Amino acid sequence: MKFRHVLLNLCIAVFAVSCSTDDNNDTPIINEIEGLLKIQEISNATHTIEIFNTAGDFKTGYNNVSIRIKDNATSNYIKNATLSWMPMMQMPTMQHSCPKSEIAKTIGKETVYEGFIIYQMTNTDGSGWSLTVNYAIDGTDYTATDDIVVLQSEKQNTTSFMGSDNNRYIIAMIEPNNPKIAINNLKVGLFKMESMMTFPVVENYTITLDPRMPGMGNHSSPNNTDLSYNDEDYMYYGDLSLTMTGYWVLNLKLINDQDAILKGEDVTETNEKSSLYLELEF
Ligand SMILES: [Cu+2]
């Protein structure tokens, strides 16, 4: 019995060694884009920029975006690029960009880079936007640009508005992705439109929250909290209480760091909705 046991262990050991030797010879094939769908490719003479997210298309509001750069000559994916991007909307009389993050390598991946873009508007047919990706590899600069399609989200998950301080702001819902009958983690981005091209994060403001169901007597829900700024990821967080499925209006008020209300009103008997709000349905 004992001898058999030793023999078995020996077999396992030999098998394990041969396996690990194999691994050293062949690069393990790991699918770095598992769970992602390709939105589009943007090509130039040297590279193909592959653009992904979980939905497979751009929509108005917050878009988490993953990128790979393929070398057209070798079909290899670039592991050491530095990237930036510029989304641009061409309007009849002017052009403008939108809030966006920097682009960084996705943690735990070798060829995938990621960031976010918040499209605040689009044309009804999805046209109007282009995306330029600038990148450097081993000290050489490249650029690739093309038109992109941005579809209109069904519900208002982002809104652009003028504050009482005469600044333009953009607010966008980032979470919950999958709202539940529960206390949901509400995550929102707040940006100032400093110019047509620059949209810095607004820090240390407060966003009050009053969710209502307009289809059901405009009732609210218990245990909501206002949103406060988190300086670790530059986003705003609060508790969003959803007591049933259906259509909810998240009534908001934007309050600056001097306690001045920049936009939005209380929901009352005579005012059923704030002029600053986001929507969700689940
Ligand atoms: Cu526009």
Side-chain angles (χ1 to χ4, degrees):
M1 275 307 256
K2 205 166 191 184
F3 177 70
R4 234 175 103 186
H5 191 71
V6 169
L7 199 64
L8 187 67
N9 277 340
L10 194 67
C11 282
I12 289 168
V14 168
F15 182 70
V17 166
S18 67
C19 269
S20 65
T21 312
D22 255 17
D23 278 351
N24 289 341
N25 292 340
D26 306 318
T27 311
I29 298 161
I30 297 163
N31 180 8
E32 295 218 309
I33 51 158
E34 200 177 336
L36 295 173
L37 297 172
K38 193 183 286 177
I39 303 168
Q40 190 174 331
E41 294 182 346
I42 300 178
S43 298
N44 57 23
T46 49
H47 299 98
T48 301
I49 317 297
E50 301 178 343
I51 303 169
F52 305 84
N53 65 9
T54 52
D57 47 39
F58 287 129
K59 285 206 171 113
T60 52
Y62 176 87
N63 291 256
N64 199 316
V65 184
S66 293
I67 291 179
R68 286 199 303 187
I69 304 173
K70 189 167 79 178
D71 185 318
N72 289 342
T74 64
S75 288
N76 287 334
Y77 289 99
I78 307 296
K79 297 178 178 176
N80 62 337
T82 53
L83 298 94
S84 67
W85 48 12
M86 184 54 85
M88 196 70 80
M89 186 182 192
Q90 185 64 50
M91 308 272 295
T93 56
M94 53 91 164
Q95 53 178 9
H96 63 85
S97 186
C98 61
K100 61 185 174 22
S101 69
E102 298 186 334
I103 306 175
K105 182 75 75 72
T106 302
I107 293 165
K109 304 245 170 115
E110 293 193 348
T111 64
V112 184
Y113 306 80
E114 71 179 333
F116 69 77
I117 301 176
I118 295 170
Y119 302 108
Q120 69 274 50
M121 60 188 299
T122 192
N123 289 325
T124 45
D125 64 355
S127 72
W129 285 93
S130 64
L131 183 61
T132 300
V133 179
N134 299 307
Y135 56 102
I137 304 166
D138 298 327
T140 306
D141 290 333
Y142 303 90
T143 188
T145 187
D146 206 347
D147 289 343
I148 54 171
V149 173
V150 178
L151 305 174
Q152 179 68 50
S153 291
E154 267 179 55
K155 294 290 176 291
Q156 179 163 298
N157 57 12
T158 186
T159 177
S160 155
F161 58 94
M162 182 76 81
S164 59
D165 58 357
N166 287 322
N167 287 313
R168 263 203 106 71
Y169 295 92
I170 291 171
I171 203 166
M173 183 157 32
I174 299 167
E175 288 172 13
N177 281 320
N178 298 301
K180 293 183 178 69
I181 299 175
I183 305 283
N184 294 262
N185 187 31
L186 179 60
K187 178 179 176 183
V188 156
L190 175 64
F191 306 86
K192 184 170 150 182
M193 188 173 179
E194 212 164 65
S195 71
M196 292 296 175
M197 299 304 147
T198 45
F199 301 78
V201 167
V202 178
E203 299 179 13
N204 298 318
Y205 284 19
T206 301
I207 304 164
T208 67
L209 171 64
D210 184 1
R212 301 279 179 144
M213 286 198 96
M216 300 193 68
N218 219 28
H219 75 77
S220 187
S221 59
N223 303 318
N224 293 286
T225 65
D226 293 340
L227 292 104
S228 58
Y229 181 67
N230 181 327
D231 60 12
E232 307 242 313
D233 68 353
Y234 319 112
M235 297 294 176
Y236 287 78
Y237 289 87
D239 288 343
L240 168 64
S241 167
L242 300 173
T243 48
M244 54 189 297
T245 58
Y247 171 65
W248 289 82
V249 173
L250 313 187
N251 295 281
L252 309 172
K253 283 188 297 177
L254 179 62
I255 299 170
N256 71 9
D257 46 6
Q258 318 288 318
D259 282 336
I261 298 171
L262 301 184
K263 181 74 176 174
E265 306 78 28
D266 287 328
V267 177
T268 62
E269 288 291 311
T270 51
N271 182 45
E272 75 169 35
K273 195 180 194 178
S274 171
S275 61
L276 180 61
Y277 67 93
L278 297 168
E279 301 171 306
L280 64 80
E281 188 162 20
F282 76 109

